[in-house]
Amino acid sequence: MLFSSSRSVIILSDESVQIYSCSSSKTKFIESVPCNTLEFEESVKSCLLKQGRGRPVVILNGMVEQHYRKEKVRKVSVMDQANVLKRRLNVAFPNHPIRASLKLEKEKGDGKTTNYLFAAMPSSESFKKVINAVLESRVSIVGVYLLPVEAAPMVKKLVGKVYSSEQARSVWTIMVGQQRGGGLRQVVTRNGDLALTRMSPVVDTDIEPELWAGEVYSEIKATMSYLSRFGYSEADGLNIVVIANSPSAEVLEKIIDIECNLKVLDIKEAATAVGLRLGKHDDLRYADILYASALGQKSKYILPMSAPTVDRLVKPRKAASYIIFALMAGLAGVAFFLFQGLNEQAVNKDKLLVAEQRLNALQQEYDIELEKKKAVGFDFLLVNNSIGLFEGYQVNKTHLLKTIREIGRSLGADLKIDNIKMTVEDVKKNALNPYEYPEPDLEGAAARPDQELKTAITLSFDEEMEPDVGVSLVNGLRDRLARNLPTHRVEVAKQVAGLSYTGNFAGEAIEENAESTEGQDLKAEIIIIGAVQ
């Protein structure tokens, strides 16, 4: 029964409620119950149980007082979205407890916000009486909905059936219909979505078609003035559909002079066009039954309204749904967490991309500033790297100044070095490092016998210098370094011109064996190895 397409439909109006029986075979009018009657609740209950046969009830609000607002809501996580919307609805409609929100998919936000349609209706006395009658009848309730919002897809379908393909592409549509409960209902759509709705009091007569048609024409003209505020222009195209009987239709077709595509249909013609079946219906000018038939059989509604009293009635239906879909809960949970993970991954990826772009921009600015500093004679990279090197040695508590000082003292005034390289290396005990270093003489410093400080200095000589002179100078420097650094090993790693003389040179040997210095490598390298202090 809960999921049957056979339902009872109650349309709320300001002065009465109309009750319909809706099924896949036909929709028929049951009764119109005035709201001020003493037996209101009992009459509604009787209609639902007897003519309605206890079927689930769909409540459509067709009253004048309906409130709509478009709001921009900040994007939040899926878990927080419901709470944020609830708070915003409370702020937007503090005096109307029956509220709902609809995400406007066709209207894109600015990336940080999402466009929503907020809607609300008052908890009127007639609404409370209808709810009490449903409670007493103990029939299930499908939900409470706003008639204009839910009717928009039906209007779009009707336009597609009664107009040519070119006319159906018009942006704007106005559907006009007399309500049995009183008043003229106009549903205005833009590209198939609800743009606005109007409920106007008009004379309800079938005897004087000219009088009724004249008032309908005046109300349509008033609606056209509203459309201009919504951006309407004649180039957009306008379709107007009026539900009326034959005598009124003839008058309307003569007096409506608005630039539009006009169609005047009776209720049976409109129902046939959208594939709805109506029962015996003598009065063809009321549009209520068309809405009841189309909306009573829907399986999914656009904007379900939320109210505490209604939620109590909907719980049994929800319980049945939970039981049926219990087996799908696990899969839905996995899909949800997977979506959350993918969503978080996408967010992090976007953040990383933004960070990389920011880093590249900062790097470009940094390089430009470096070039500016270098152009005025300040090499920032050299200074920065030197400070970094010094701080690195400071962290390791490596003392370099004594070694550097003794190298400078040993060079004297005639020699100068091209390059100096100092590295701290691990000692391979009992193998390549058989030497034992005496205690250091630096106060407060402790030697680390597992590491050694290796200093390599490079010297170069002029091409005019004879190799034997260079060799003598290098050997002399080696000896002075050994005397000044008694705790260190001093070795010549590379001799001038690749020679390896260890004694004095003979003049004759030089004349006979020495070759021209042109093209020879007149560089030498001395290695100084000592304990790290």
Side-chain angles (χ1 to χ4, degrees), residues 30 44 105 179 185 188 210 270 282 359 439:
I30 296 177
V44 173
E105 300 288 352
Q179 301 288 100
R185 166 70 64 186
V188 183
E210 292 84 3
D282 297 332
L359 178 61
E439 292 295 327

Side-chain angles (χ1 to χ4, degrees), residues 98-168:
I98 308 174
R99 318 178 186 103
S101 62
L102 174 65
K103 184 178 180 181
L104 300 176
E105 300 288 352
K106 294 183 180 180
E107 297 186 14
K108 295 183 179 179
D110 56 5
K112 296 181 180 180
T113 60
T114 303
N115 293 325
Y116 279 86
L117 173 66
F118 285 3
M121 56 178 279
S123 182
S124 62
E125 287 300 318
S126 59
F127 176 77
K128 293 177 181 178
K129 289 180 179 180
V130 168
I131 296 300
N132 290 335
V134 174
L135 281 170
E136 292 179 7
S137 67
R138 295 187 178 183
V139 299
S140 62
I141 182 171
V142 177
V144 178
Y145 312 99
L146 300 176
L147 188 149
V149 175
E150 305 299 336
M154 187 268 292
V155 174
K156 182 179 180 180
K157 183 177 180 180
L158 179 61
V159 169
K161 296 294 183 179
V162 300
Y163 287 99
S164 65
S165 58
E166 182 178 353
Q167 293 174 334

Side-chain angles (χ1 to χ4, degrees), residues 231-251:
Y232 165 76
S233 66
E234 291 186 1
D236 295 336
L238 173 65
N239 297 324
I240 297 180
V241 180
V242 183
I243 303 299
N245 54 19
S246 297
S248 300
E250 295 176 0
V251 179

Side-chain angles (χ1 to χ4, degrees), residues 10-42:
I10 299 178
I11 297 181
L12 302 176
S13 61
D14 293 281
E15 298 179 357
S16 62
V17 297
Q18 288 69 50
I19 305 174
Y20 297 84
S21 174
C22 180
S23 66
S24 57
S25 59
K26 62 182 179 178
T27 299
K28 65 179 182 178
F29 172 68
I30 296 177
E31 189 175 346
S32 179
V33 183
C35 295
N36 56 4
T37 182
L38 295 177
E39 302 296 330
F40 177 83
E41 293 182 16
E42 189 62 33

Side-chain angles (χ1 to χ4, degrees), residues 278-444:
L278 305 182
K280 186 178 180 181
H281 198 69
D282 297 332
D283 201 330
L284 302 179
R285 63 194 180 95
Y286 290 123
D288 307 62
I289 194 170
L290 186 66
Y291 296 126
S293 182
L295 307 184
Q297 301 180 55
K298 292 181 69 172
S299 59
K300 184 178 180 181
Y301 292 86
I302 299 173
L303 190 62
M305 304 301 290
S306 176
T309 53
V310 176
D311 292 340
R312 287 204 316 268
L313 299 176
V314 175
K315 282 183 178 179
R317 183 180 180 88
K318 286 186 176 180
S321 300
Y322 293 152
I323 294 174
I324 292 176
F325 295 105
L327 295 177
M328 301 177 63
L331 180 61
V334 172
F336 172 76
F337 287 111
L338 178 61
F339 169 77
Q340 286 287 89
L342 293 175
N343 186 50
E344 184 176 354
Q345 182 181 6
V347 171
N348 292 335
K349 187 175 181 181
D350 292 340
K351 289 182 178 178
L352 178 60
L353 179 61
V354 172
E356 289 177 347
Q357 292 174 349
R358 178 61 177 165
L359 178 61
N360 292 334
L362 291 175
Q363 184 64 43
Q364 292 178 359
E365 294 179 10
Y366 178 72
D367 293 339
I368 292 172
E369 291 299 322
L370 284 181
E371 291 300 324
K372 290 180 180 178
K373 297 294 183 183
K374 196 171 182 180
V376 297
F378 180 77
D379 194 337
F380 180 81
L381 287 179
L382 177 60
V383 175
N384 192 44
N385 291 338
S386 300
I387 294 173
L389 177 64
F390 175 76
E391 291 178 347
Y393 281 120
Q394 286 290 93
V395 171
N396 294 326
K397 296 181 179 179
T398 304
H399 299 276
L400 309 175
L401 295 181
K402 180 181 178 181
T403 303
I404 295 174
R405 184 183 66 239
E406 296 303 330
I407 291 173
R409 191 157 65 94
S410 300
L411 286 172
D414 298 329
L415 293 177
K416 60 181 179 180
I417 61 176
D418 295 336
N419 184 42
I420 181 170
K421 181 179 180 182
M422 308 181 80
T423 57
V424 176
E425 300 179 353
D426 293 333
V427 177
K428 297 181 180 179
K429 296 181 179 180
N430 303 323
L432 299 180
N433 188 48
Y435 302 94
E436 294 183 1
Y437 302 103
E439 292 295 327
D441 57 359
L442 292 176
E443 185 177 354

